[in-house]
Amino acid sequence: MTLVVIGANPTVARAIAELSGDQVHVRLPGVPVLGLDGWDASGVRKVFTADFRDAPAFLTFVDEVLAPMAPAAVVSLTEPGLEPAAVAAERLGARGVDPQVVRVTRDKLRMRRVLARRAPHLNPAFAPGDAPGAVARLFATHTPVVAKPVDGFGSRSATLFERPADLPPDRGTAATLFEQFVGGVEFSVEALSLNGRHTVMGIAQKGTTGGFVEVSHIMPPPSLDARRRLLVERAVAELLDALGLEDGPSHTEVKVEGDRVTVIETHTRLGGDGIADLVRLTTGVDWRCAAVGWAVGAEPQRAAAAAAAAATVFFTAPPGRVTYVAPQPSLTHGSVVEWDVPVRPGDPVGPLRSSEDRLGRAVLTAESPAECAAAVAELMSLRVVTTRRDR
């Protein structure tokens, strides 16, 4: 049985190495998969290079290279690889995620329109950017309003506006989606779907900047009681049913205000920002392996949890040039189990516009969600990276 994995990063490649059967990795040109280069077994090459972002060229690769292998499944956990993997699986008659579901989740406007028909209570008010009348009505009844790219991810270019007069001209196109800004606390929900049954693997509470860039995740979420957790799980199941996702992983972002759960977005992959590490630490499940292994019938394996609660914290600093990087601290609450701050004095720091502009991260563990939240607050109160504005 052959499993084809599109665009796996080194962490995913290592996590799934022990899955039974043959594995074939497809990587982009010039992008090495550390630990897989030169991996051959019985004279069969396991790593191929193909630009899966080029649809015609990739379909030729599928027909000429992958089809003779008769793979059992084709999957991906990277955003650019989701649709190519789904299309390849369908073309080869292999197991994978339905391409139509992938397309709907990658197009935020299409997702909103599907929910408007099938689960409208999960939607905020919204309007497409190329419908000026609808945008004007949205601003007249719901402010502030969030403008976001229809196909964006990673907090890219999401901006809050109070008045339509503040909108730059480039926002008035089909590439932008306008949504009512929803209050409340934001959560990330990791789920695995099998034969239409959705199992939540973990829920993380998010901390964000005013510009929507994520700066912390805490699992389990300290502000979500058992009753509201059930509301969140039911809302995610409704969402996935509405979109038609029957098999595979999902990462869904929701906001909870009172008893109302509003869907922000969803993806047919696991969450980034090391959320898979939080699932492993708090439940014992290797979420990366489970998010791929379902396609070849592998059951999620659960080891002993390492901690009752865990968190990731991301470091930021004002634009300028780095003058000082603090060493790993000892915390009053919880423990630091990973510390990665790659910037050095002299490095330039630009504005914080997306998750790619963050400067490093730490992973924390604690004996309870409340203590973990205290550890996050303690660490975020420290100045880990100091900058000085260039003159």
Side-chain angles (χ1 to χ4, degrees), residues 232-272:
V232 168
E233 292 180 350
R234 287 175 176 170
V236 169
E238 282 187 88
L239 163 73
L240 300 178
D241 285 343
L243 299 180
L245 180 65
E246 295 189 352
D247 296 291
S250 59
H251 164 71
T252 304
E253 298 172 6
V254 302
K255 272 194 168 182
V256 178
E257 187 172 37
D259 285 350
R260 182 181 180 185
V261 181
T262 303
V263 171
I264 304 302
E265 60 185 56
T266 192
H267 306 270
T268 54
R269 55 166 172 79
L270 47 70

Side-chain angles (χ1 to χ4, degrees), residues 139-153:
F139 272 95
T141 54
H142 300 285
T143 52
V145 168
V146 180
K148 62 174 69 172
V150 167
D151 61 352
F153 61 97

Side-chain angles (χ1 to χ4, degrees), residues 16-95:
I16 66 176
E18 299 304 317
L19 288 173
S20 61
D22 295 329
Q23 291 180 28
V24 172
H25 287 266
V26 180
R27 64 183 179 185
L28 289 171
V31 179
V33 180
L34 300 179
L36 294 183
D37 289 339
W39 176 24
D40 296 326
S42 303
V44 179
R45 189 180 180 195
K46 298 289 188 177
V47 182
F48 293 88
T49 298
D51 190 350
F52 46 80
R53 300 165 302 185
D54 182 338
F58 181 63
L59 289 181
T60 300
F61 172 81
V62 170
D63 293 339
E64 295 180 355
V65 179
L66 298 184
M69 301 178 187
V74 184
V75 296
S76 181
L77 296 183
T78 182
E79 192 71 26
L82 296 177
E83 189 170 342
V87 169
E90 183 178 64
R91 193 177 184 91
L92 297 171
R95 197 170 189 192

Side-chain angles (χ1 to χ4, degrees), residues 125-161:
F126 67 96
D130 59 349
V135 172
R137 289 190 294 273
L138 180 64
F139 272 95
T141 54
H142 300 285
T143 52
V145 168
V146 180
K148 62 174 69 172
V150 167
D151 61 352
F153 61 97
S155 308
R156 287 177 172 84
S157 301
T159 309
L160 201 62
F161 293 98

